[in-house]
Amino acid sequence: MPRSTRVQFPGDFRWGVSTSALQIEGASDIDGRRPSVWDTFAAEPGRIRNGDTPTRACDHYHHLQEDLDLIKALGVTAYRFSVSWPRILPRGTGAVNEAGLAFYDRLVDGLLERGIEPWLTLYHWDLPQPLEDAGGWPRRDTALAFANYADVVSRRLGDRVKHWITHNEPWCSTIKGYYEGEFAPGKRDLAAAIQATHHVLLSHGLALPVVRNNVADAKCGIALSLHPIHTASDSEADRLAAIRHDGLRNRWFLDPLHGRDYPKDVLRELGTAAPKIVDGDLAIIAGQTDFLGINYYFREIIADDPKGGPMRSRVVEPDATDVTGFGWEVYPEGLTELLQRVTRDYRPAPIAITENGATYPDEISADGAVHDDKRALYIHRHIDALRAAMDGGVDLAGYFTWSLLDNFEWAEGYSKRFGLVHVDFANQKRTMKDSGRWLASFLKG
Ligand code: IFM
């Protein structure tokens, strides 16, 4: 049984919930917002389960005060949200949309009035469509456009927002979007995807001094999705495959961010798909950060597979009975392992878990409640894993549960619920789940 309590964590430890703009805001075509790559992608038949689109999502744009009250009711001390680039700069660059900025003014002010610290993510995958039409992340200019966007947002909100995350999960916006094709923009081109990873990292590095220049006492970081990598067997072939797989999954992002070159073994495997790097790029990418965001969901078990993509590896399903609604194994010890590994290998800035959570097929019961005990147990076990990591010397600054609300789960549409708060997408009614009540009571101590 989980054992940790809030008092076992430092007083300034951040307890938060996370969301992203495209997944909750809705209001996709009002007040000057224009399409992002995800609006375009979702409109293509067969891309999203059940043909769902993010057009309305949780209509958070029109339920802002109610949702802020829900955050407050959870008892958290911080809220991580993302800004919608196409709401601020509908064409990606050029004219700034005042109505878009005004929405985030209201959001930030509402948080501060409630004593909740805003953690702002600049990019959670919703690239303005005109930038994709011009070449997207494989094109270097997109990194420059991102730095301009960071300037616009940080100038406006920097007097009130001190925690800035440049990118959320670069793996998803690049490899899944440009190579695996499962995410927007739905392309399947390895060299383009790898070039995109470089430009996303470059844009992170370019944005750091811009944000620092506009924000007194800014705390800047990036949020990576990282996985402990295990081998499927004791064979030498599987062992080497796991090293290769870890190279692209984890080290490809961690190494350059921590002042190293891209991993040489991965560059060798990529061959002609290796990125084109301009002199000075790596120094920009390695710019100093104040925290490292890690999103943790599951481990990966790897077998050798000569036909298994660029790293010649294959993910093997674990023989697990405790899985979430995505089929992801519940494996909290992987979080401790991951944190210790990153600390040992990189000596990073303090770490914040910027996402961790689970989807289950929740339903409103006859008594009007949502009895999602599994989610509460999942969160508590992962908090235990954090405590164990801290006992082992990991410097941890906070933990953000994914997610505040059930929302638009990308290619899975509305079929996967991650919220502490249930959303009825037909009438936008919010219902605090038992897991949300549990978190509130955990945080009350
Ligand atoms: O919903 C996503 C989020 O946008 C990014 N990290 C993983 C979550 C669950 O799949």
Side-chain angles (χ1 to χ4, degrees):
M1 284 304 284
R3 309 159 65 94
S4 48
T5 58
R6 182 179 183 165
V7 291
Q8 293 167 340
F9 289 80
D12 62 354
F13 191 84
R14 268 48 169 227
W15 296 99
V17 279
S18 272
T19 61
S20 88
L22 186 111
Q23 291 179 273
I24 66 167
E25 283 180 5
S28 65
D29 55 1
I30 66 163
D31 287 352
R33 185 189 181 277
R34 304 270 302 162
S36 73
V37 285
W38 270 94
D39 299 278
T40 308
F41 187 69
E44 292 170 15
R47 293 295 202 181
I48 312 287
R49 188 180 294 275
N50 304 322
D52 290 344
T53 73
T55 311
R56 189 143 183 254
C58 310
D59 201 20
H60 171 67
Y61 193 81
H62 294 115
H63 288 72
L64 182 60
Q65 299 306 323
E66 181 184 356
D67 292 344
L68 290 169
D69 287 343
L70 285 165
I71 300 170
K72 179 77 184 164
L74 287 169
V76 295
T77 55
Y79 174 56
R80 174 177 174 238
F81 63 97
S82 80
V83 172
S84 160
W85 188 346
R87 209 180 275 296
I88 304 299
L89 291 150
R91 305 213 162 266
T93 56
V96 176
N97 179 31
E98 170 55 33
L101 285 171
F103 171 70
Y104 295 104
D105 275 339
R106 295 197 291 280
L107 169 50
V108 168
D109 291 347
L111 289 170
L112 295 176
E113 279 158 19
R114 290 167 177 80
I116 297 159
E117 185 175 61
W119 283 50
L120 184 155
T121 304
L122 283 163
Y123 188 74
H124 201 122
W125 314 347
D126 43 1
L127 188 71
Q129 185 61 41
L131 291 183
E132 179 55 37
D133 295 340
W137 284 110
R139 181 167 178 255
R140 193 176 175 88
D141 281 358
T142 304
L144 308 182
F146 179 80
N148 169 61
Y149 160 61
D151 185 39
V152 171
V153 179
S154 56
R155 264 178 208 277
R156 177 67 165 251
L157 300 176
D159 57 337
R160 288 155 287 160
V161 177
K162 299 298 166 192
H163 289 83
W164 293 77
I165 295 170
T166 53
H167 281 267
N168 183 69
E169 300 183 359
W171 171 273
C172 292
S173 51
T174 58
I175 303 290
K176 279 181 102 64
Y178 291 96
Y179 172 59
E180 294 179 353
E182 283 170 38
F183 279 9
K187 306 234 159 103
R188 291 180 185 272
D189 177 341
L190 179 62
I194 296 296
Q195 194 62 49
T197 61
H198 179 62
H199 290 155
V200 164
L201 289 171
L202 178 66
S203 76
H204 154 81
L206 290 171
L208 294 175
V210 172
V211 172
R212 288 222 167 89
N213 191 41
N214 293 337
V215 184
D217 305 322
K219 303 272 179 244
C220 300
I222 186 169
L224 302 177
S225 48
L226 300 176
H227 302 261
I229 305 294
H230 292 173
T231 48
S233 77
D234 292 338
S235 78
E236 184 64 358
D238 285 351
R239 192 183 69 79
L240 293 174
I243 293 172
R244 292 194 300 274
H245 188 90
D246 177 64
L248 189 56
R249 219 26 169 140
N250 296 322
R251 287 182 284 123
W252 186 256
F253 301 96
L254 285 165
D255 278 17
L257 287 167
H258 292 90
R260 305 173 195 174
D261 197 349
Y262 286 107
K264 292 207 170 32
D265 57 334
V266 181
L267 286 169
R268 218 172 23 246
E269 294 294 328
L270 290 172
T272 55
K276 287 169 196 52
I277 303 169
V278 174
D279 270 358
D281 283 1
L282 289 165
I284 294 171
I285 292 171
Q288 212 200 319
T289 48
D290 303 289
F291 62 90
L292 172 66
I294 294 182
N295 296 355
Y296 174 71
Y297 289 93
F298 52 90
R299 66 169 167 166
E300 285 188 338
I301 301 174
I302 300 303
D304 179 48
D305 181 354
K307 294 204 172 66
M311 296 300 114
R312 296 178 287 126
S313 60
R314 175 168 51 88
V315 176
V316 177
E317 289 309 320
D319 184 17
T321 46
D322 192 3
V323 294
T324 70
F326 246 134
W328 296 346
E329 178 189 22
V330 179
Y331 191 69
E333 49 273 57
L335 178 54
T336 312
E337 176 191 324
L338 176 69
L339 290 170
Q340 288 179 334
R341 181 256 171 122
V342 171
T343 298
R344 185 189 63 231
D345 291 356
Y346 296 93
R347 297 273 144 217
I351 296 172
I353 302 303
T354 33
E355 283 184 28
N356 171 244
T359 176
Y360 291 106
D362 305 315
E363 278 172 11
I364 306 253
S365 301
D367 61 1
V370 180
H371 301 302
D372 61 335
D373 304 353
K374 280 189 180 170
R375 182 174 289 104
L377 183 60
Y378 176 103
I379 296 169
H380 204 171
R381 289 182 66 197
H382 284 80
I383 293 174
D384 277 1
L386 296 184
R387 194 51 263 172
M390 291 166 89
D391 292 343
V394 173
D395 186 0
L396 261 184
Y399 173 78
F400 292 74
T401 300
W402 183 269
S403 180
L404 169 66
L405 303 168
D406 292 338
N407 59 43
F408 177 77
E409 178 53 32
W410 310 110
E412 295 296 324
Y414 298 101
S415 68
K416 298 281 185 279
R417 295 178 175 273
F418 273 89
L420 296 169
V421 175
H422 181 276
V423 177
D424 181 332
F425 295 105
N427 59 15
Q428 294 298 339
K429 184 170 181 312
R430 275 80 163 133
T431 305
M432 183 73 80
K433 299 181 191 177
D434 286 359
S435 59
R437 294 182 200 289
W438 171 81
L439 183 63
S441 79
F442 173 88
L443 292 176
K444 266 199 198 116

